[in-house]
Amino acid sequence: MEEQQMMAIAEAILFIAGDPVPVRSIAEVLDIDVDAAQSLMEKMLEAYALQPRGLQLIRINDAYQLVTRPEYGEYIRKFTGATKEQPLSRACLETLAIIAYNQPVTKADIEQLRGVKCDHAIAVLLEKNLIREVGRLDAPGKPKLYGTTELFLKSFGLSDINDLPPLEQQQGS
Amino acid sequence: MGYQVRLEVFEGPLDLLLHLIAKAKINIEDISISEITAQYMDYLSQMQALDIDIASEFMVMAATLLHIKSSKLLPKPVQQSEEQEPDPQQQLIERLKQYKKYKDAGEWLHERYMVYSNMYSKLPEEVVDTAEDVKFSNVTKQDIAQTMMALLDKKNTSQQSQTVVRNIKPEPISLHERINQLAALIVRRGKVLFSQLVSRKFSRLYVVVTFLALLEMVNRGWVAVQQSRPFSDIFIQRKGLKWKNSR
């Protein structure tokens, strides 16, 4: 099958799925191996980036998703009547940053780093599905361990957790 | 001129200390504990004067600062060859540096969020499987009439026959099964009313199991529910539920 045609099929699948589609599902449908599907999707991602479209292709871990371009969010809200989501509070952002860089991590570790209680921030992040419990630490009390979700990656435009910039210490302030 | 007090809100003692350090325009490494301690205490007393509750964490930090300050004033006993205790000031500086990293990372996340929260995706499409639909292509009017007659006959004969008393056992349905059913439904439809899930003449047990299944799905973060007032219908919306969860 020609590459152009395979891309068209993959595009149709992404449209129907809405959710991120794993590369291996695309490979299965097209009857090609996963590496070939991966490079096909990367080509398609570039093609989308070059064209002045309202949609773009994003990668989240090993899956691809069709989403609208962020610069047109305002028009989508105008059309749907939706309101813009409230940005996260600073407490939540700090907590989320600590979890993102140290996962899996316990509440005690987070509180040690921030110097304050984090129950509320953790509850909000769980509710928003940005973090989740990923297990329990084998230590007295078996404290819960937290990690980030795929929604976290998507919400912050990250393809995978390694896309986070290195934690750097800027001198002074 | 009136006396104006404006207190900024801080995310904790470390946040407050960073603010004081930034205000003094010094590097974290070069903090003068006595100066910072004075300013820190100043801030706490302003809070007290304004009758603001001071979280215990701020008090712990105050104690730490005072401890560092006092130990600097006292002559140090000559260190024996024993293990050297970690310098509390150095420890505090380390903590501040660590905290600042995550504070900056939080800022970075915030900026990303402002861009990427403008990105929208659509819900999965409901693709109906039509393979098992009945084919009506060869049905004639006569067929329909005959079928109707046959049905009426059947109804008449069943009415004439004797009443049969039977015990109808409740159909056992497992919670697990019901969760799978609901997940499949919700992943396709996106949103649904609770009344739609139990709209047919379901047994009480069935309704209870459906409700338990819903609670479990809320607990797993798959769906969000809304009820405008007690006893009104429950609006169920898909949240974290993925295709793979429903399989």
Side-chain angles (χ1 to χ4, degrees):
Chain A
M1 209 187 306
E2 270 184 50
E3 193 177 77
Q4 203 63 41
Q5 201 183 349
M6 292 199 291
M7 269 194 206
I9 295 168
E11 185 182 40
I13 292 168
L14 290 172
F15 169 75
I16 287 297
D19 285 339
V21 179
V23 182
R24 84 189 126 70
S25 302
I26 293 165
E28 255 171 55
V29 173
L30 293 174
D31 207 8
I32 54 178
D33 60 44
V34 174
D35 287 345
Q38 177 85 50
S39 68
L40 183 81
M41 295 315 288
E42 280 306 312
K43 258 187 200 168
M44 200 164 138
L45 197 142
E46 277 167 35
Y48 261 97
L50 288 174
Q51 287 167 358
R53 294 276 186 92
L55 295 179
Q56 61 172 345
L57 194 58
I58 57 167
R59 179 173 75 83
I60 303 164
N61 288 334
D62 290 328
Y64 290 83
Q65 186 179 23
L66 270 184
V67 295
T68 65
R69 282 185 190 274
E71 50 265 49
Y72 306 128
E74 193 189 318
Y75 300 97
I76 289 165
R77 285 189 292 277
K78 205 167 155 188
F79 175 72
T80 58
T83 45
K84 191 161 166 45
E85 234 185 281
Q86 283 292 314
L88 291 165
S89 69
R90 272 187 49 207
C92 285
L93 286 164
E94 283 178 20
T95 306
L96 189 56
I98 291 170
I99 294 172
Y101 280 98
N102 297 288
Q103 56 189 312
V105 65
T106 64
K107 192 178 77 162
D109 291 336
I110 302 167
E111 291 180 343
Q112 166 63 27
L113 280 165
R114 287 192 62 220
V116 276
K117 289 244 170 282
C118 300
D119 301 75
H120 181 68
I122 288 175
V124 170
L125 293 171
L126 281 173
E127 160 71 25
K128 286 191 182 288
N129 205 13
L130 292 170
I131 60 166
R132 64 193 174 94
E133 290 172 32
V134 291
R136 284 173 184 271
L137 188 67
D138 197 10
K142 296 253 181 272
K144 287 174 185 164
L145 288 165
Y146 297 100
T148 53
T149 60
E150 285 195 356
L151 184 65
F152 161 77
L153 295 177
K154 190 185 162 194
S155 306
F156 293 90
L158 305 166
S159 287
D160 52 54
I161 201 69
N162 299 321
D163 270 4
L164 283 173
L167 260 190
E168 266 175 64
Q169 174 63 46
Q170 289 141 0
Q171 287 302 305
S173 31
Chain B
M1 218 163 86
Y3 181 56
Q4 255 195 348
V5 183
R6 201 174 67 92
L7 275 188
E8 283 182 63
V9 182
F10 295 100
E11 287 297 334
L14 294 174
D15 194 24
L16 171 54
L17 279 179
L18 280 183
H19 170 78
L20 295 175
I21 291 165
K23 225 171 70 176
K25 295 200 173 75
I26 48 173
N27 284 338
I28 295 177
E29 276 90 352
D30 308 333
I31 55 172
S32 135
I33 288 293
S34 45
E35 201 178 309
I36 286 292
T37 305
Q39 290 174 10
Y40 188 91
M41 293 305 177
D42 223 39
Y43 181 84
L44 289 200
S45 54
Q46 276 187 59
M47 277 173 85
Q48 249 164 352
L50 292 173
D51 230 3
I52 301 171
D53 280 337
I54 300 173
S56 54
E57 293 97 348
F58 283 93
M59 291 312 207
V60 173
M61 181 57 76
T64 310
L65 287 170
L66 289 173
H67 170 70
I68 297 172
K69 193 178 167 184
S70 60
S71 63
K72 278 186 178 285
L73 294 174
L74 295 171
K76 268 194 190 160
V78 181
Q79 282 284 338
Q80 306 294 341
S81 60
E82 283 177 40
E83 270 182 49
Q84 210 169 337
E85 265 183 52
D87 177 7
Q89 177 170 349
Q90 209 48 50
Q91 272 184 321
L92 179 62
I93 288 172
E94 263 326 297
R95 274 189 79 190
L96 280 170
K97 281 161 78 175
Q98 281 291 330
Y99 174 71
K100 179 145 193 339
K101 278 190 212 169
Y102 291 108
K103 199 182 142 162
D104 292 344
E107 278 300 312
W108 183 83
L109 285 176
H110 175 72
E111 280 159 30
R112 300 281 291 191
Y113 190 76
M114 292 320 277
V115 175
Y116 288 96
S117 60
N118 279 315
M119 223 165 60
Y120 293 90
S121 61
K122 63 185 262 306
L123 285 172
E125 203 59 52
E126 180 176 2
V127 181
V128 185
D129 184 4
T130 51
E132 284 173 26
D133 278 3
V134 186
K135 299 272 186 298
F136 286 111
S137 46
N138 296 324
V139 179
T140 62
K141 273 186 267 180
Q142 276 81 2
D143 287 335
I144 297 172
Q146 268 176 10
T147 312
M148 190 63 206
M149 294 301 279
L151 271 175
L152 286 174
D153 270 357
K154 213 168 160 185
K155 192 175 169 230
N156 288 336
T157 46
S158 72
Q159 268 174 354
Q160 281 157 12
S161 67
Q162 291 225 315
T163 333
V164 185
V165 182
R166 278 200 213 111
N167 281 322
I168 299 170
K169 282 189 189 144
E171 204 179 315
I173 167 133
S174 81
L175 182 57
H176 182 74
E177 239 173 90
R178 191 69 183 133
I179 289 172
N180 286 345
Q181 286 173 3
L182 294 188
L185 183 90
I186 290 167
V187 85
R188 273 189 280 115
R189 288 213 209 154
K191 44 192 133 182
V192 71
L193 290 170
F194 187 74
S195 62
Q196 291 172 321
L197 298 177
V198 292
S199 58
R200 280 166 237 149
K201 284 185 180 168
F202 285 138
S203 68
R204 191 172 294 181
L205 179 75
Y206 201 83
V207 177
V208 170
V209 171
T210 303
F211 188 68
L212 287 175
L214 179 62
L215 289 182
E216 178 58 29
M217 289 170 78
V218 171
N219 186 35
R220 293 186 193 174
W222 290 1
V223 293
V225 290
Q226 262 178 5
Q227 190 180 33
S228 51
R229 58 180 185 282
F231 305 112
S232 70
D233 211 341
I234 303 167
F235 178 72
I236 305 156
Q237 195 164 18
R238 178 180 171 210
K239 208 175 74 184
L241 189 57
K242 300 274 167 56
W243 284 88
K244 60 174 185 283
N245 292 137
S246 68
R247 276 183 199 146

